[in-house]
Coordinates of all heavy atoms in Angstrom, one line a residue:
T24 N -4.0 18.1 -1.4 CA -4.8 18.2 -0.2 C -4.1 17.8 1.0 O -3.3 16.8 1.0 CB -6.2 17.5 -0.3 OG1 -6.7 17.4 1.0 CG2 -6.0 16.1 -1.0
E25 N -4.4 18.5 2.1 CA -3.7 18.1 3.4 C -4.6 17.3 4.3 O -4.3 17.1 5.5 CB -3.3 19.5 4.1 CG -2.2 20.2 3.5 CD -0.9 19.5 3.7 OE1 -0.5 19.4 4.9 OE2 -0.2 19.1 2.7
E26 N -5.7 16.9 3.8 CA -6.7 16.3 4.6 C -6.5 14.8 4.8 O -6.0 14.1 3.9 CB -8.1 16.4 3.9 CG -8.5 17.9 3.6 CD -9.4 18.5 4.6 OE1 -10.5 17.8 4.8 OE2 -9.0 19.4 5.2
W27 N -6.9 14.3 6.0 CA -6.9 12.9 6.2 C -8.2 12.4 5.6 O -9.3 12.9 5.8 CB -6.9 12.6 7.7 CG -5.6 12.8 8.3 CD1 -5.2 13.9 9.0 CD2 -4.5 11.9 8.4 NE1 -4.0 13.8 9.5 CE2 -3.5 12.6 9.1 CE3 -4.2 10.7 7.9 CZ2 -2.2 12.0 9.3 CZ3 -3.0 10.1 8.1 CH2 -2.0 10.8 8.8
V28 N -8.2 11.4 4.8 CA -9.3 10.9 4.1 C -9.7 9.5 4.6 O -8.7 8.6 4.7 CB -9.1 10.8 2.5 CG1 -10.4 10.4 1.8 CG2 -8.6 12.1 2.1
R29 N -10.9 9.2 4.9 CA -11.3 7.9 5.3 C -11.3 6.9 4.2 O -11.8 7.2 3.1 CB -12.8 8.1 5.8 CG -13.4 6.8 6.3 CD -14.9 7.0 6.6 NE -15.4 5.8 7.2 CZ -16.0 5.7 8.4 NH1 -16.3 6.7 9.0 NH2 -16.3 4.5 8.9
V30 N -10.6 5.8 4.3 CA -10.4 4.9 3.2 C -11.1 3.5 3.4 O -11.5 2.9 2.4 CB -9.0 4.6 2.8 CG1 -8.4 5.7 2.0 CG2 -8.1 4.3 4.0
A31 N -11.1 3.0 4.6 CA -11.6 1.7 4.8 C -11.7 1.4 6.3 O -11.2 2.2 7.1 CB -10.7 0.6 4.2
D32 N -12.4 0.4 6.7 CA -12.4 -0.1 8.1 C -11.1 -0.9 8.3 O -10.6 -1.6 7.5 CB -13.6 -0.9 8.4 CG -14.8 0.0 8.5 OD1 -14.7 1.2 8.6 OD2 -16.0 -0.6 8.4
Y33 N -10.6 -0.8 9.6 CA -9.4 -1.5 9.9 C -9.6 -3.0 9.7 O -8.7 -3.7 9.2 CB -9.1 -1.3 11.4 CG -7.9 -1.9 11.9 CD1 -6.6 -1.4 11.6 CD2 -8.0 -3.1 12.7 CE1 -5.4 -2.1 12.1 CE2 -6.8 -3.7 13.2 CZ -5.6 -3.2 12.9 OH -4.4 -3.8 13.4
D34 N -10.8 -3.5 10.0 CA -11.0 -5.0 9.8 C -11.2 -5.4 8.3 O -11.2 -6.6 8.1 CB -12.3 -5.4 10.6 CG -12.1 -5.3 12.1 OD1 -10.9 -5.3 12.5 OD2 -13.1 -5.2 12.8
D35 N -11.3 -4.4 7.4 CA -11.4 -4.8 6.0 C -10.0 -5.3 5.5 O -10.0 -5.9 4.4 CB -11.7 -3.6 5.2 CG -13.2 -3.1 5.4 OD1 -14.0 -3.9 6.0 OD2 -13.6 -2.0 5.1
V36 N -8.9 -4.9 6.1 CA -7.6 -5.3 5.6 C -7.2 -6.6 6.4 O -7.0 -6.5 7.6 CB -6.6 -4.2 5.8 CG1 -5.3 -4.6 5.1 CG2 -7.1 -2.9 5.3
P37 N -7.0 -7.7 5.7 CA -6.6 -8.9 6.4 C -5.1 -8.8 6.9 O -4.3 -8.2 6.3 CB -6.7 -10.0 5.3 CG -7.3 -9.4 4.2 CD -7.2 -7.9 4.3
E38 N -4.8 -9.4 8.0 CA -3.5 -9.5 8.6 C -2.5 -10.1 7.6 O -2.8 -11.1 6.9 CB -3.5 -10.3 9.9 CG -2.2 -10.3 10.6 CD -1.7 -8.9 11.0 OE1 -2.4 -8.1 11.5 OE2 -0.5 -8.6 10.8
E39 N -1.3 -9.4 7.4 CA -0.3 -9.8 6.5 C -0.8 -9.9 5.1 O -0.4 -10.8 4.3 CB 0.4 -11.1 6.9 CG 0.9 -11.2 8.4 CD 1.8 -10.1 8.7 OE1 2.7 -9.8 7.9 OE2 1.7 -9.4 9.7
D40 N -1.7 -9.0 4.7 CA -2.3 -9.0 3.4 C -2.6 -7.6 2.9 O -2.3 -6.6 3.6 CB -3.6 -9.9 3.4 CG -3.8 -10.6 2.0 OD1 -3.2 -10.1 1.0 OD2 -4.6 -11.5 2.0
T41 N -3.3 -7.5 1.8 CA -3.5 -6.2 1.1 C -5.0 -6.0 0.9 O -5.8 -6.9 0.9 CB -2.8 -6.2 -0.2 OG1 -3.5 -7.2 -1.1 CG2 -1.3 -6.4 -0.2
L42 N -5.3 -4.7 0.7 CA -6.6 -4.3 0.2 C -6.5 -3.2 -0.9 O -5.9 -2.2 -0.5 CB -7.5 -3.9 1.3 CG -8.9 -3.4 0.9 CD1 -9.8 -4.6 0.6 CD2 -9.6 -2.5 2.0
G43 N -6.9 -3.5 -2.1 CA -6.9 -2.4 -3.1 C -8.1 -1.6 -3.0 O -9.2 -2.1 -2.9
T44 N -8.0 -0.3 -3.1 CA -9.1 0.6 -3.2 C -8.8 1.8 -4.0 O -7.7 1.9 -4.6 CB -9.5 0.9 -1.7 OG1 -10.7 1.8 -1.7 CG2 -8.4 1.6 -0.9
E45 N -9.7 2.8 -3.9 CA -9.4 4.0 -4.8 C -9.9 5.2 -4.0 O -11.0 5.2 -3.4 CB -10.2 3.9 -6.1 CG -9.6 4.7 -7.2 CD -10.4 4.5 -8.5 OE1 -11.3 5.3 -8.7 OE2 -10.0 3.7 -9.3
I46 N -9.1 6.3 -3.9 CA -9.6 7.5 -3.3 C -9.4 8.6 -4.2 O -8.4 8.9 -4.7 CB -8.7 7.8 -2.0 CG1 -8.7 6.5 -1.1 CG2 -9.3 9.0 -1.3 CD1 -7.3 6.4 -0.5
G47 N -10.5 9.3 -4.5 CA -10.5 10.4 -5.4 C -9.8 10.1 -6.7 O -9.1 10.9 -7.3
G48 N -10.1 8.9 -7.3 CA -9.5 8.5 -8.5 C -8.1 8.0 -8.4 O -7.5 7.6 -9.4
V49 N -7.5 8.0 -7.2 CA -6.1 7.5 -7.0 C -6.2 6.0 -6.5 O -6.8 5.8 -5.5 CB -5.3 8.3 -6.0 CG1 -3.9 7.8 -5.8 CG2 -5.3 9.7 -6.4
P50 N -5.7 5.0 -7.3 CA -5.7 3.7 -6.8 C -4.7 3.5 -5.7 O -3.5 3.8 -5.9 CB -5.3 2.9 -8.1 CG -5.2 3.8 -9.2 CD -5.1 5.1 -8.6
V51 N -5.1 3.0 -4.6 CA -4.3 2.9 -3.4 C -4.3 1.5 -2.9 O -5.3 0.8 -3.0 CB -4.8 3.9 -2.3 CG1 -4.2 3.6 -0.9 CG2 -4.6 5.3 -2.7
C52 N -3.2 1.0 -2.4 CA -3.1 -0.3 -1.8 C -2.9 -0.1 -0.3 O -1.9 0.5 0.1 CB -2.0 -1.1 -2.5 SG -2.0 -2.8 -1.9
L53 N -3.7 -0.8 0.5 CA -3.5 -0.8 2.0 C -2.9 -2.1 2.4 O -3.2 -3.1 1.7 CB -4.9 -0.6 2.7 CG -5.6 0.6 2.3 CD1 -7.0 0.6 3.0 CD2 -4.9 1.9 2.8
Y54 N -2.1 -2.1 3.4 CA -1.4 -3.3 3.9 C -1.5 -3.3 5.4 O -1.6 -2.3 6.0 CB 0.1 -3.2 3.6 CG 0.5 -2.9 2.2 CD1 0.5 -1.6 1.7 CD2 0.8 -3.9 1.3 CE1 0.9 -1.2 0.5 CE2 1.2 -3.6 0.0 CZ 1.2 -2.3 -0.4 OH 1.6 -1.9 -1.7
K55 N -1.6 -4.5 5.9 CA -1.6 -4.7 7.4 C -0.4 -5.6 7.7 O -0.4 -6.8 7.4 CB -2.9 -5.3 7.9 CG -3.0 -5.2 9.4 CD -4.2 -5.9 10.0 CE -5.5 -5.0 9.8 NZ -6.7 -5.6 10.2
L56 N 0.6 -5.0 8.4 CA 1.8 -5.8 8.8 C 1.9 -5.8 10.3 O 2.1 -4.7 10.9 CB 3.1 -5.2 8.2 CG 3.2 -5.0 6.7 CD1 4.5 -4.4 6.3 CD2 3.0 -6.3 6.0
D57 N 1.8 -6.9 11.0 CA 1.8 -7.0 12.4 C 0.8 -6.0 13.1 O 1.2 -5.3 14.0 CB 3.3 -6.5 12.9 CG 4.0 -7.7 13.4 OD1 3.4 -8.7 13.9 OD2 5.3 -7.7 13.4
G58 N -0.3 -5.9 12.5 CA -1.4 -5.0 13.0 C -1.3 -3.5 12.6 O -2.1 -2.8 12.8
E59 N -0.1 -3.2 11.9 CA 0.1 -1.8 11.5 C -0.3 -1.6 10.1 O -0.1 -2.5 9.2 CB 1.6 -1.6 11.6 CG 2.1 -0.2 11.8 CD 1.7 0.4 13.1 OE1 1.7 -0.2 14.1 OE2 1.4 1.6 13.0
I60 N -1.0 -0.4 9.8 CA -1.5 -0.2 8.5 C -0.5 0.7 7.7 O 0.0 1.7 8.2 CB -2.8 0.6 8.6 CG1 -3.9 -0.3 9.2 CG2 -3.3 1.0 7.2 CD1 -4.3 -1.5 8.4
Y61 N -0.3 0.4 6.4 CA 0.5 1.2 5.5 C -0.3 1.3 4.2 O -1.2 0.6 3.9 CB 1.9 0.4 5.2 CG 2.7 0.2 6.4 CD1 2.5 -1.0 7.1 CD2 3.6 1.1 6.8 CE1 3.3 -1.2 8.3 CE2 4.4 0.9 8.0 CZ 4.2 -0.3 8.7 OH 5.0 -0.5 9.8
A62 N 0.1 2.4 3.5 CA -0.6 2.7 2.2 C 0.4 3.2 1.2 O 1.3 4.0 1.5 CB -1.6 3.8 2.5
T63 N 0.2 2.6 0.0 CA 1.0 3.1 -1.2 C 0.1 3.2 -2.4 O -1.0 2.7 -2.4 CB 2.2 2.1 -1.5 OG1 1.6 0.9 -2.1 CG2 3.0 1.8 -0.3
D64 N 0.6 3.7 -3.5 CA -0.1 3.6 -4.7 C -0.3 2.1 -5.1 O 0.6 1.3 -4.7 CB 0.8 4.3 -5.9 CG 0.5 5.8 -6.0 OD1 -0.5 6.2 -5.4 OD2 1.4 6.4 -6.6
N65 N -1.3 1.8 -5.7 CA -1.6 0.5 -6.0 C -1.0 0.0 -7.4 O -0.7 -1.2 -7.6 CB -3.1 0.2 -6.1 CG -3.4 -1.3 -5.9 OD1 -2.5 -2.1 -5.6 ND2 -4.7 -1.7 -6.2
K66 N -0.7 1.0 -8.3 CA -0.1 0.6 -9.6 C 1.4 0.5 -9.5 O 2.1 1.3 -9.0 CB -0.4 1.7 -10.6 CG -1.8 1.7 -11.1 CD -2.1 0.5 -12.1 CE -3.6 0.5 -12.4 NZ -4.0 -0.9 -12.6
C67 N 1.9 -0.7 -9.9 CA 3.3 -0.9 -10.0 C 3.9 0.2 -10.8 O 3.4 0.7 -11.8 CB 3.6 -2.2 -10.6 SG 5.4 -2.7 -10.6
T68 N 5.2 0.7 -10.5 CA 5.8 1.7 -11.2 C 6.5 1.1 -12.5 O 7.0 1.8 -13.3 CB 6.9 2.5 -10.4 OG1 7.8 1.5 -9.9 CG2 6.3 3.2 -9.3
H69 N 6.5 -0.2 -12.6 CA 7.2 -0.9 -13.7 C 6.2 -1.2 -14.9 O 6.6 -1.2 -16.0 CB 7.9 -2.1 -13.3 CG 8.5 -2.9 -14.4 ND1 8.1 -4.1 -14.9 CD2 9.7 -2.6 -15.1 CE1 8.9 -4.5 -15.9 NE2 9.9 -3.7 -16.0
G70 N 5.0 -1.4 -14.5 CA 4.0 -1.8 -15.6 C 2.6 -1.7 -15.1 O 2.4 -1.2 -14.0
D71 N 1.7 -2.3 -15.8 CA 0.3 -2.2 -15.5 C -0.2 -3.4 -14.7 O -0.8 -4.3 -15.1 CB -0.5 -2.1 -16.8 CG -2.0 -1.8 -16.6 OD1 -2.3 -1.3 -15.4 OD2 -2.8 -2.1 -17.4
A72 N 0.2 -3.3 -13.4 CA -0.2 -4.3 -12.5 C -0.7 -3.7 -11.2 O -0.1 -2.7 -10.7 CB 0.9 -5.3 -12.2
D73 N -1.6 -4.4 -10.5 CA -2.1 -3.9 -9.2 C -1.3 -4.7 -8.1 O -1.4 -5.9 -8.0 CB -3.6 -4.2 -9.1 CG -4.4 -3.3 -9.9 OD1 -3.9 -2.2 -10.3 OD2 -5.6 -3.6 -10.2
L74 N -0.7 -3.9 -7.3 CA 0.1 -4.5 -6.2 C -0.8 -5.3 -5.2 O -0.3 -6.2 -4.5 CB 1.0 -3.5 -5.5 CG 2.0 -2.9 -6.5 CD1 2.7 -1.7 -5.8 CD2 3.0 -3.9 -6.9
S75 N -2.0 -4.9 -5.1 CA -3.0 -5.6 -4.2 C -3.2 -7.0 -4.7 O -3.7 -7.8 -3.9 CB -4.3 -4.8 -4.1 OG -4.8 -4.6 -5.4
D76 N -2.8 -7.3 -5.9 CA -2.9 -8.7 -6.3 C -1.6 -9.5 -6.1 O -1.5 -10.7 -6.4 CB -3.2 -8.8 -7.8 CG -4.6 -8.3 -8.2 OD1 -5.4 -8.3 -7.3 OD2 -4.7 -7.8 -9.3
G77 N -0.6 -8.8 -5.5 CA 0.7 -9.4 -5.3 C 0.8 -10.1 -3.9 O -0.2 -10.2 -3.2
L78 N 2.0 -10.5 -3.6 CA 2.2 -11.3 -2.4 C 3.1 -10.5 -1.5 O 4.1 -9.9 -1.9 CB 2.9 -12.6 -2.7 CG 2.1 -13.7 -3.4 CD1 3.0 -14.9 -3.7 CD2 1.0 -14.1 -2.5
I79 N 2.8 -10.6 -0.2 CA 3.7 -10.0 0.8 C 4.9 -11.0 1.1 O 4.6 -12.2 1.3 CB 3.0 -9.6 2.1 CG1 2.0 -8.5 1.8 CG2 4.0 -9.2 3.2 CD1 1.2 -8.0 3.0
Q80 N 6.1 -10.5 1.0 CA 7.3 -11.4 1.1 C 8.2 -10.8 2.2 O 8.3 -9.6 2.3 CB 8.1 -11.5 -0.2 CG 7.2 -12.0 -1.4 CD 7.1 -13.5 -1.4 OE1 7.2 -14.2 -0.4 NE2 6.8 -14.0 -2.5
D81 N 8.9 -11.6 2.9 CA 9.9 -11.2 3.9 C 9.3 -10.2 4.9 O 10.0 -9.4 5.5 CB 11.1 -10.6 3.2 CG 11.8 -11.7 2.4 OD1 11.7 -12.9 2.6 OD2 12.5 -11.3 1.4
G82 N 8.0 -10.3 5.2 CA 7.4 -9.5 6.2 C 7.1 -8.0 5.9 O 6.3 -7.4 6.5
C83 N 7.8 -7.5 4.9 CA 7.7 -6.0 4.7 C 7.8 -5.7 3.2 O 7.8 -4.5 2.9 CB 8.6 -5.2 5.5 SG 10.3 -5.5 5.0
E84 N 7.8 -6.6 2.3 CA 7.9 -6.3 0.9 C 6.7 -6.8 0.1 O 6.1 -7.9 0.4 CB 9.2 -6.9 0.3 CG 10.4 -6.2 0.8 CD 11.7 -6.6 0.2 OE1 11.7 -7.7 -0.6 OE2 12.7 -6.1 0.5
I85 N 6.2 -6.0 -0.9 CA 5.2 -6.4 -1.7 C 5.8 -6.9 -3.1 O 6.6 -6.2 -3.6 CB 4.1 -5.4 -1.9 CG1 2.9 -5.9 -2.8 CG2 4.7 -4.1 -2.5 CD1 2.1 -6.9 -2.1
E86 N 5.4 -8.1 -3.5 CA 6.0 -8.6 -4.8 C 4.9 -8.4 -5.8 O 3.8 -8.9 -5.7 CB 6.3 -10.1 -4.6 CG 6.9 -10.7 -5.8 CD 7.2 -12.2 -5.6 OE1 6.2 -13.0 -5.8 OE2 8.3 -12.5 -5.2
C87 N 5.3 -7.7 -6.9 CA 4.4 -7.4 -8.0 C 3.9 -8.8 -8.7 O 4.8 -9.6 -8.9 CB 5.0 -6.5 -9.0 SG 4.0 -6.2 -10.4
P88 N 2.6 -8.9 -9.0 CA 2.2 -10.2 -9.5 C 2.6 -10.3 -11.0 O 2.6 -11.4 -11.5 CB 0.6 -10.0 -9.5 CG 0.4 -8.5 -9.5 CD 1.5 -7.9 -8.7
L89 N 3.1 -9.3 -11.7 CA 3.4 -9.4 -13.1 C 4.9 -9.9 -13.3 O 5.0 -10.9 -14.0 CB 3.1 -8.0 -13.8 CG 3.0 -8.1 -15.3 CD1 2.0 -9.2 -15.7 CD2 2.5 -6.7 -15.8
H90 N 5.9 -9.1 -12.8 CA 7.3 -9.6 -13.1 C 8.0 -9.8 -11.8 O 9.3 -9.9 -11.8 CB 8.0 -8.5 -13.9 CG 7.3 -8.1 -15.1 ND1 6.7 -6.9 -15.3 CD2 7.0 -8.8 -16.3 CE1 6.1 -6.8 -16.5 NE2 6.3 -7.9 -17.1
E91 N 7.3 -9.9 -10.6 CA 7.9 -10.2 -9.4 C 8.9 -9.2 -8.8 O 9.8 -9.6 -8.1 CB 8.4 -11.7 -9.4 CG 7.2 -12.6 -9.6 CD 7.7 -14.0 -9.9 OE1 8.9 -14.3 -9.9 OE2 6.8 -14.9 -10.2
G92 N 8.9 -8.0 -9.3 CA 9.7 -7.0 -8.7 C 9.1 -6.7 -7.3 O 8.0 -7.1 -7.0
R93 N 9.9 -6.0 -6.5 CA 9.4 -5.8 -5.1 C 9.6 -4.4 -4.7 O 10.5 -3.7 -5.1 CB 10.2 -6.7 -4.1 CG 9.9 -8.2 -4.3 CD 10.5 -8.9 -3.1 NE 10.5 -10.3 -3.2 CZ 10.9 -11.1 -2.3 NH1 11.3 -10.7 -1.1 NH2 10.8 -12.5 -2.5
F94 N 8.8 -4.0 -3.7 CA 8.9 -2.7 -3.0 C 8.8 -2.9 -1.5 O 8.1 -3.8 -1.1 CB 7.7 -1.8 -3.4 CG 7.6 -1.5 -4.9 CD1 6.8 -2.3 -5.7 CD2 8.3 -0.4 -5.5 CE1 6.7 -2.1 -7.1 CE2 8.2 -0.2 -6.9 CZ 7.4 -1.0 -7.7
D95 N 9.5 -2.0 -0.8 CA 9.3 -2.0 0.6 C 8.0 -1.3 0.9 O 7.8 -0.1 0.6 CB 10.5 -1.2 1.2 CG 10.5 -1.4 2.8 OD1 9.5 -1.1 3.4 OD2 11.6 -1.7 3.3
I96 N 7.1 -2.0 1.6 CA 5.8 -1.5 1.9 C 5.8 -0.3 2.8 O 5.0 0.6 2.7 CB 5.0 -2.6 2.6 CG1 4.7 -3.7 1.6 CG2 3.7 -2.1 3.2 CD1 4.2 -5.0 2.2
R97 N 6.8 -0.2 3.7 CA 6.9 0.9 4.7 C 7.3 2.2 4.1 O 6.9 3.3 4.6 CB 7.8 0.5 5.9 CG 7.3 -0.8 6.6 CD 8.4 -1.4 7.3 NE 9.5 -1.8 6.4 CZ 10.6 -2.3 6.9 NH1 10.8 -2.7 8.1 NH2 11.6 -2.6 6.0
S98 N 8.1 2.2 3.0 CA 8.6 3.4 2.4 C 8.2 3.6 1.0 O 8.3 4.7 0.4 CB 10.1 3.4 2.5 OG 10.6 2.3 1.7
G99 N 7.8 2.5 0.3 CA 7.5 2.6 -1.1 C 8.8 2.4 -2.0 O 8.7 2.5 -3.2
K100 N 9.9 2.3 -1.3 CA 11.2 2.2 -2.1 C 11.2 0.9 -2.9 O 10.9 -0.2 -2.4 CB 12.3 2.2 -1.1 CG 12.6 3.5 -0.5 CD 14.1 3.9 -0.6 CE 14.4 5.3 -0.2 NZ 13.7 6.3 -1.0
A101 N 11.7 1.1 -4.1 CA 11.9 -0.1 -5.0 C 13.0 -1.0 -4.3 O 14.0 -0.5 -3.9 CB 12.4 0.3 -6.4
A102 N 12.6 -2.3 -4.2 CA 13.5 -3.2 -3.4 C 14.2 -4.3 -4.3 O 15.2 -4.8 -3.9 CB 12.8 -3.8 -2.2
S103 N 13.6 -4.6 -5.4 CA 14.2 -5.5 -6.3 C 13.8 -5.4 -7.7 O 12.6 -5.0 -8.0 CB 14.1 -7.0 -5.7 OG 13.1 -7.6 -6.3
P104 N 14.7 -5.7 -8.7 CA 14.4 -5.5 -10.1 C 13.2 -6.4 -10.6 O 13.1 -7.5 -10.0 CB 15.7 -5.9 -10.8 CG 16.6 -6.4 -9.8 CD 16.0 -6.3 -8.4
P105 N 12.5 -6.0 -11.6 CA 12.8 -4.9 -12.5 C 12.3 -3.6 -12.0 O 12.3 -2.6 -12.7 CB 12.1 -5.3 -13.8 CG 10.9 -6.1 -13.3 CD 11.4 -6.8 -12.1
C106 N 11.8 -3.5 -10.7 CA 11.3 -2.2 -10.2 C 12.5 -1.3 -9.8 O 13.3 -1.7 -9.1 CB 10.4 -2.5 -9.0 SG 9.0 -3.5 -9.3
S107 N 12.5 -0.1 -10.4 CA 13.6 0.8 -10.0 C 13.0 2.1 -9.5 O 13.7 2.9 -8.7 CB 14.6 1.0 -11.1 OG 13.8 1.5 -12.3
E108 N 11.8 2.4 -10.0 CA 11.2 3.7 -9.5 C 10.4 3.5 -8.3 O 9.6 2.5 -8.3 CB 10.3 4.2 -10.7 CG 9.8 5.6 -10.5 CD 8.8 6.0 -11.6 OE1 9.0 5.5 -12.8 OE2 7.8 6.7 -11.3
D109 N 10.6 4.3 -7.2 CA 9.9 4.1 -6.0 C 8.3 4.3 -6.2 O 7.9 5.1 -7.0 CB 10.4 5.1 -4.9 CG 11.8 4.8 -4.6 OD1 12.4 3.7 -4.9 OD2 12.5 5.7 -4.0
L110 N 7.6 3.7 -5.3 CA 6.1 3.9 -5.2 C 5.9 5.1 -4.3 O 6.6 5.3 -3.4 CB 5.5 2.7 -4.5 CG 5.1 1.4 -5.2 CD1 4.5 0.5 -4.1 CD2 4.2 1.7 -6.3
R111 N 4.8 5.8 -4.6 CA 4.4 6.8 -3.6 C 3.8 6.1 -2.4 O 3.0 5.1 -2.6 CB 3.3 7.7 -4.3 CG 3.4 9.1 -3.8 CD 2.5 10.1 -4.6 NE 2.8 9.9 -6.0 CZ 1.9 10.2 -7.0 NH1 0.7 10.6 -6.6 NH2 2.2 10.1 -8.2
S112 N 4.2 6.6 -1.3 CA 3.5 6.0 -0.1 C 2.9 7.1 0.7 O 3.2 8.3 0.6 CB 4.6 5.3 0.8 OG 5.4 6.2 1.5
Y113 N 1.8 6.8 1.4 CA 1.0 7.7 2.1 C 1.0 7.5 3.6 O 0.9 6.3 4.0 CB -0.4 7.6 1.5 CG -0.5 7.8 0.0 CD1 -0.6 6.7 -0.8 CD2 -0.4 9.1 -0.5 CE1 -0.7 6.9 -2.2 CE2 -0.5 9.3 -1.9 CZ -0.6 8.2 -2.7 OH -0.7 8.3 -4.1
P114 N 1.0 8.6 4.4 CA 0.8 8.4 5.8 C -0.6 7.8 6.1 O -1.6 8.2 5.5 CB 0.9 9.9 6.4 CG 1.5 10.7 5.3 CD 1.1 10.0 4.0
A115 N -0.6 6.9 7.0 CA -1.9 6.2 7.4 C -2.1 6.3 8.9 O -1.1 6.2 9.7 CB -1.9 4.8 6.9
R116 N -3.3 6.4 9.4 CA -3.5 6.3 10.8 C -4.9 5.6 11.0 O -5.8 5.6 10.1 CB -3.5 7.6 11.5 CG -4.6 8.6 11.2 CD -4.4 9.9 12.0 NE -5.3 10.9 11.5 CZ -6.6 11.1 12.1 NH1 -7.0 10.3 13.0 NH2 -7.3 12.1 11.6
V117 N -5.1 5.0 12.2 CA -6.3 4.3 12.5 C -6.9 5.0 13.7 O -6.3 5.3 14.7 CB -6.0 2.8 12.8 CG1 -7.3 2.1 13.2 CG2 -5.3 2.2 11.6
E118 N -8.2 5.3 13.6 CA -8.9 5.9 14.7 C -10.3 5.3 14.8 O -11.0 5.3 13.8 CB -9.0 7.4 14.5 CG -9.1 8.2 15.7 CD -9.1 9.7 15.4 OE1 -8.0 10.2 15.1 OE2 -10.2 10.3 15.4
G119 N -10.7 4.8 15.9 CA -12.0 4.2 16.1 C -12.3 3.1 15.1 O -13.4 3.0 14.6
G120 N -11.3 2.3 14.7 CA -11.5 1.2 13.8 C -11.6 1.6 12.3 O -11.9 0.8 11.5
V121 N -11.3 2.9 12.1 CA -11.3 3.4 10.7 C -9.9 3.8 10.3 O -9.2 4.4 11.0 CB -12.3 4.6 10.6 CG1 -12.3 5.2 9.2 CG2 -13.7 4.2 11.0
I122 N -9.6 3.5 9.0 CA -8.3 3.9 8.5 C -8.4 5.2 7.7 O -9.3 5.3 6.9 CB -7.8 2.8 7.5 CG1 -7.6 1.5 8.2 CG2 -6.4 3.2 6.9 CD1 -7.4 0.3 7.2
Y123 N -7.5 6.1 8.0 CA -7.5 7.4 7.2 C -6.1 7.5 6.6 O -5.1 7.1 7.2 CB -7.6 8.6 8.2 CG -8.9 8.6 8.9 CD1 -9.1 7.9 10.1 CD2 -10.0 9.4 8.4 CE1 -10.4 7.9 10.8 CE2 -11.2 9.4 9.1 CZ -11.4 8.7 10.3 OH -12.6 8.7 10.9
I124 N -6.0 8.0 5.4 CA -4.7 8.3 4.9 C -4.7 9.7 4.4 O -5.7 10.4 4.2 CB -4.3 7.3 3.7 CG1 -5.1 7.6 2.4 CG2 -4.4 5.9 4.1 CD1 -4.5 6.9 1.3
K125 N -3.4 10.2 4.2 CA -3.2 11.5 3.7 C -2.7 11.5 2.3 O -1.6 11.0 2.1 CB -2.2 12.2 4.7 CG -2.4 13.7 4.9 CD -1.5 14.2 5.9 CE -2.0 15.4 6.6 NZ -1.1 15.9 7.6
L126 N -3.4 12.0 1.4 CA -2.9 12.0 0.0 C -2.0 13.2 -0.2 O -2.5 14.3 -0.5 CB -4.1 12.1 -1.0 CG -5.0 10.9 -1.1 CD1 -6.1 11.2 -2.1 CD2 -4.2 9.7 -1.6
V127 N -0.7 13.0 0.0 CA 0.2 14.1 0.0 C 0.6 14.4 -1.4 O 0.5 13.6 -2.3 CB 1.4 13.8 0.8 CG1 1.1 14.0 2.3 CG2 2.0 12.4 0.6
Ligands
FES225 FE1 5.4 -4.8 -11.6 FE2 6.7 -5.4 -13.9 S1 4.7 -4.6 -13.7 S2 7.3 -5.7 -11.8

């Protein structure tokens, strides 16, 4: 789908933190970094863990709660082992206090 989908309110995502949610059966993790919203798949590509339960490290990386591998939040790129497969990331925009993402 090419549609922007409403996912959450801007204020639902804490600053420098995550919010796990689901859109059309796809588990998505939202992040707020310096006021900016980012979105990736919520499932780690290494195993069965939710990245929304992980920690934001070094300002722009999410650390998986299970084996502490990392991904770059802005691109979904695997940033440290054991993660080697990139996460899918989604375009996000905020309008009128509402977050929309595009499930590409
Ligand atoms: Fe995420 Fe292993 S499940 S690093």
Side-chain angles (χ1 to χ4, degrees):
T24 164
E25 289 286 298
E26 305 262 301
W27 289 96
V28 186
R29 179 185 185 127
V30 280
D32 286 343
Y33 182 76
D34 291 342
D35 290 344
V36 188
E38 184 59 46
E39 307 305 315
D40 208 344
T41 62
L42 177 74
T44 181
E45 208 180 83
I46 307 144
V49 181
V51 167
C52 186
L53 302 173
Y54 310 83
K55 191 184 282 178
L56 303 180
D57 252 334
E59 202 69 36
I60 297 292
Y61 299 89
T63 70
D64 273 344
N65 199 12
K66 284 285 170 214
C67 183
T68 57
H69 179 253
D71 189 18
D73 287 341
L74 296 172
S75 55
D76 294 333
L78 288 175
I79 292 179
Q80 303 280 21
D81 297 333
C83 65
E84 292 182 353
I85 183 69
E86 184 181 82
C87 177
L89 200 49
H90 308 111
E91 297 169 3
R93 293 190 190 185
F94 300 92
D95 190 309
I96 290 166
R97 300 159 303 179
S98 63
K100 286 230 172 302
S103 97
C106 301
S107 56
E108 193 186 322
D109 297 343
L110 277 179
R111 209 169 313 155
S112 75
Y113 303 100
R116 68 179 171 91
V117 178
E118 206 178 283
V121 175
I122 301 167
Y123 299 85
I124 73 167
K125 213 175 208 178
L126 287 178
V127 282

